[in-house]
Amino acid sequence: QVQLVESGGGLVQAGGSLRLSCAASGLTISTYVMGWFRQAPGKERELVAAISSGGTTYYGDSVKGRFTISRDNAKNTVSLQMNSLRPEDTAVYYCAADRFWRTVVAGPGGVDYWGKGTLVTVSS
């Protein structure tokens, strides 16, 4: 049974930093594309960042230069370092896994595995 468990969310002031982690079990992340999506109230779920098994990364335009995705294959975890946070970054952040890069980059539909999410709130 695959499980993705997020941690690290919380309340932070604008300009601050948070580091999200996703611990995977039931799958080996080194063979998957791992992604972080987010969903703000009243908005669609959107891709924030993704990392391929080979280390290729993708970032949404709104987070480029501020967020960094990384993976630790030995620990079977993927992380999202978030710096210079803004109130508009407030959302539930979800860890996701899929075999195919284009599935993850295309958006949330069709992605195989999801965590339950962790809430990030950025105050102004």
Side-chain angles (χ1 to χ4, degrees):
Q1 181 181 1
V2 173
Q3 283 193 315
L4 302 175
V5 180
E6 302 96 338
S7 61
L11 174 65
V12 64
Q13 287 188 333
S17 298
L18 280 176
R19 185 177 181 85
L20 305 183
S21 292
C22 172
S25 59
L27 64 78
T28 302
I29 69 164
S30 61
T31 62
Y32 278 77
V33 179
M34 302 300 296
W36 285 96
F37 288 77
R38 68 185 180 187
Q39 188 165 18
K43 295 189 176 182
E44 294 185 352
R45 192 171 297 190
E46 64 173 354
L47 177 63
V48 174
I51 186 166
S52 73
S53 57
T56 300
T57 56
Y58 166 92
Y59 295 96
D61 288 342
S62 63
V63 307
K64 282 180 182 176
R66 300 188 297 124
F67 290 12
T68 303
I69 189 171
S70 61
R71 63 198 302 156
D72 186 333
N73 292 336
K75 294 182 179 179
N76 219 36
T77 60
V78 61
S79 298
L80 184 69
Q81 177 66 42
M82 306 186 295
N83 299 328
S84 301
L85 283 161
R86 305 167 180 168
E88 54 264 40
D89 294 318
T90 295
V92 177
Y93 284 71
Y94 297 91
C95 179
D98 196 272
R99 288 283 193 183
F100 302 107
W101 178 259
R102 62 182 178 185
T103 299
V104 174
V105 174
V111 172
D112 283 342
Y113 302 109
W114 293 94
K116 293 183 178 180
T118 185
L119 177 63
V120 172
T121 303
V122 184
S123 64
S124 57

